[in-house]
Amino acid sequence: MHLHILGICGTFMGGLALIARAAGHKVTGCDAGVYPPMSTQLSEQGIELIEGFGADQLALAPDLFVIGNVVSRGNPLMEAILDSGARYVSGPQWLGDHVLPGQHVLAVAGTHGKTTTSSMLAWILEASDRRPNFLIGGIAPDLEVSARFDPRVDTFVIEADEYDTAFFDKRSKFVHYRPRTAILNNLEYDHADIFPDLAAIETQFHHLVRTIPASGRIVVPAGSEALDRVLARGCWSETVRFGAEGAWRAGPADANGAFAVLRDGQDSGTVRWTLGGEHNRMNALAALAAAEHAGLPAADGIAALSRFGGVKRRMELRGTANGVKVYDDFAHHPTAIATTLDGLRRQVGQARILAVLEPRSNTMKLGTMAERLPASLQQADLVFCFGAKQGKQALGWDPAVVLAPLGERASGFDDLDALVAAVVSSARPGDHVVVMSNGGFGGVHGKLLDALAR
């Protein structure tokens, strides 16, 4: 079957393209601004990429058009597909209908930590010679790629996003996955462009819970009011709690980040790694509880996590120049920003932290979370906030006004070069610069390192 994928360079749709290719299909695709690293991954697999969404692509005459959620009405190729009566389907539905049946699906959902927890879970299975199939929104160096599929394997780890499926299917993507094991990592208000309030997101999570069989397992943190409300609406599966008062708990981390894992109060072993932060310990507990449901003993999972090398763009050290370390992090929600900075503060002690922030997500650009930003940035010594005046990155609020509670510590910029110059002027040896964005941020990491080196 020939599939033509619209929006192929997105993390999910690009991963889906790799899986479709591995399943034996002919795959082509298009996107606006075909860009690496996904374009490189796809080209290496022999997948033809077309720049833009021209209506002339209808002449490719694929058996099926697979639509990503970046595509909306008015897209010229989509309009041509609709006018012609050609067959089309959303990416999540195609995956749910053609790949996931017969698989033990382990889905990782939640507002924060999906990519890291999915990577941990896939690595636990990988290190135990299970060779799982997976589709993850990032690349863990241990796994080398963001997606993999072997039809001979019956275990599939998937990052389960609550964002909408497509312009014609406003359900969350994860309702198509029908997991047997589901991690509900946390739940906060996000995606203000899609959901009016937290209750609307809770409803989508309730729909996910409804698809999990009685023989399945739901892994959920202890003490989450939002997730407790979700489960109170109906739960038909085993529920396993992690965190404080949960069946799975973490002992305090030592100076190197190692911590003991307690299963029902019994010491199951120690994860010996260098990843910092309480959030990573909670992610690890969730991954261990899910892997157990797939047949992996806690000891095996703990041994695997002790060799886990992290995930790209999650406090990834991009380089050091003139004694200044520059990190890349995906944080783009106030809770994630606060968690990232808290973890770094615990790691570096009294050293200065310079936070460079691009509020790029639709929720952040709309200003829905703006009033929470100052508190989330308290651990930073200096804050540099970027928001272009025009184009897709334009903000609906003024950083100078929103960040005023931080006083002279915070400054706003609408020119990237000016921001880089300000950071470099302020930085001194021993500082830690953490760049937080869910996008490429104009290659600011390299620009900072180059300027610092000069």
Side-chain angles (χ1 to χ4, degrees):
M1 177 178 282
H2 176 193
L3 307 177
H4 189 60
I5 300 177
L6 280 65
I8 195 170
C9 280
T11 304
F12 174 83
M13 296 301 285
L16 184 145
L18 295 172
I19 287 170
R21 172 80 171 176
H25 300 289
K26 176 184 177 181
V27 180
T28 57
C30 63
D31 212 328
V34 173
Y35 49 88
M38 185 56 74
S39 61
T40 304
Q41 273 196 80
L42 296 170
S43 295
E44 289 174 348
Q45 295 298 316
I47 296 174
E48 179 187 352
L49 305 178
I50 300 173
E51 172 63 38
F53 295 95
D56 58 342
Q57 294 176 47
L58 201 65
L60 293 170
D63 298 288
L64 188 65
F65 289 95
V66 184
I67 314 299
N69 69 357
V70 299
V71 176
S72 59
R73 287 303 304 266
N75 177 293
L77 179 53
M78 192 68 235
E79 293 299 318
I81 292 169
L82 293 171
D83 283 340
S84 70
R87 293 178 62 215
Y88 66 92
V89 69
S90 72
Q93 183 174 342
W94 182 86
L95 187 71
D97 287 348
H98 298 278
V99 174
L100 298 182
Q103 297 277 315
H104 180 147
V105 177
L106 299 99
V108 181
T111 309
H112 315 292
K114 291 187 293 292
T115 298
T116 300
T117 308
S118 300
S119 298
M120 288 179 181
L121 178 54
W123 171 245
I124 289 171
L125 295 168
E126 175 79 1
S128 302
D129 295 325
R130 293 283 291 272
R131 294 284 301 169
N133 299 317
F134 55 82
L135 176 50
I136 301 171
I139 299 176
D142 306 297
L143 298 171
E144 299 181 343
V145 292
S146 62
R148 185 173 73 196
F149 180 67
D150 181 342
R152 296 169 298 180
V153 176
D154 63 359
T155 304
F156 199 113
V157 176
I158 187 165
E159 181 174 330
D161 189 2
E162 72 272 23
Y163 211 72
D164 64 338
T165 296
F167 76 87
F168 51 87
D169 183 353
K170 307 314 287 185
R171 294 173 296 170
S172 291
K173 291 177 183 175
F174 55 40
V175 301
H176 295 283
Y177 302 156
R178 300 176 186 172
R180 180 165 296 278
T181 309
I183 296 174
L184 310 183
N185 227 6
N186 41 62
L187 183 52
E188 289 191 66
Y189 184 53
D190 198 3
H191 307 308
D193 54 323
I194 300 294
F195 301 110
D197 50 34
L198 179 58
I201 307 177
E202 289 175 9
T203 294
Q204 294 297 322
F205 273 71
H206 171 61
H207 293 331
L208 173 63
V209 169
R210 281 182 167 273
T211 67
I212 302 169
S215 59
R217 172 179 288 189
I218 299 173
V219 180
V220 64
S224 170
E225 294 182 2
L227 289 173
D228 286 346
R229 287 194 295 269
V230 169
L231 297 179
R233 295 172 69 169
C235 180
W236 299 264
S237 313
E238 176 196 22
T239 301
V240 174
R241 302 274 181 173
F242 66 93
E245 307 303 322
W248 291 81
R249 285 180 286 162
D254 66 15
N256 297 316
F259 66 95
V261 174
L262 304 177
R263 174 67 165 105
D264 291 326
Q266 300 297 313
D267 189 341
S268 296
T270 299
V271 175
R272 302 187 184 280
W273 62 9
T274 57
L275 299 186
E278 176 70 9
H279 60 298
N280 275 324
R281 291 194 290 280
M282 294 303 101
N283 293 339
L285 293 179
L288 289 168
E292 180 187 63
H293 191 237
L296 265 293
D300 291 357
I302 290 167
L305 287 178
S306 295
R307 305 195 304 275
F308 181 68
V311 180
K312 288 182 180 295
R313 304 213 61 205
R314 272 66 179 177
M315 281 308 297
E316 178 187 3
L317 179 63
R318 293 289 294 269
T320 304
N322 276 322
V324 179
K325 294 182 183 294
V326 176
Y327 304 85
D328 184 18
D329 196 84
F330 198 69
H332 58 278
H333 181 285
T335 298
I337 292 168
T339 299
T340 292
L341 293 176
D342 179 68
L344 183 58
R345 174 58 68 200
R346 292 172 186 270
Q347 179 182 337
V348 305
Q350 297 301 311
R352 293 203 315 166
I353 296 175
L354 282 61
V356 181
L357 173 67
E358 181 188 33
R360 182 179 176 276
S361 71
N362 289 329
T363 299
M364 293 300 290
K365 286 190 292 184
L366 289 169
T368 308
M369 302 289 183
E371 64 181 23
R372 293 178 53 188
L373 269 181
S376 73
L377 291 159
Q378 284 295 337
Q379 293 278 19
D381 295 278
L382 294 174
V383 175
F384 305 83
C385 184
F386 177 72
K389 287 183 177 179
Q390 300 177 354
K392 291 183 178 180
Q393 307 309 322
L395 296 178
W397 46 276
D398 185 348
V401 174
V402 169
L403 299 179
L406 296 175
E408 295 182 356
R409 286 193 291 158
S411 49
F413 299 85
D414 55 33
D415 180 85
L416 191 59
D417 291 335
L419 180 147
V420 170
V423 174
V424 172
S425 176
S426 301
R428 54 188 190 231
D431 284 352
H432 299 262
V433 178
V434 54
V435 178
M436 294 177 285
S437 169
N438 68 342
F441 204 161
V444 70
H445 319 83
K447 293 179 179 179
L448 284 169
L449 286 166
D450 289 345
L452 287 164
R454 292 196 298 271

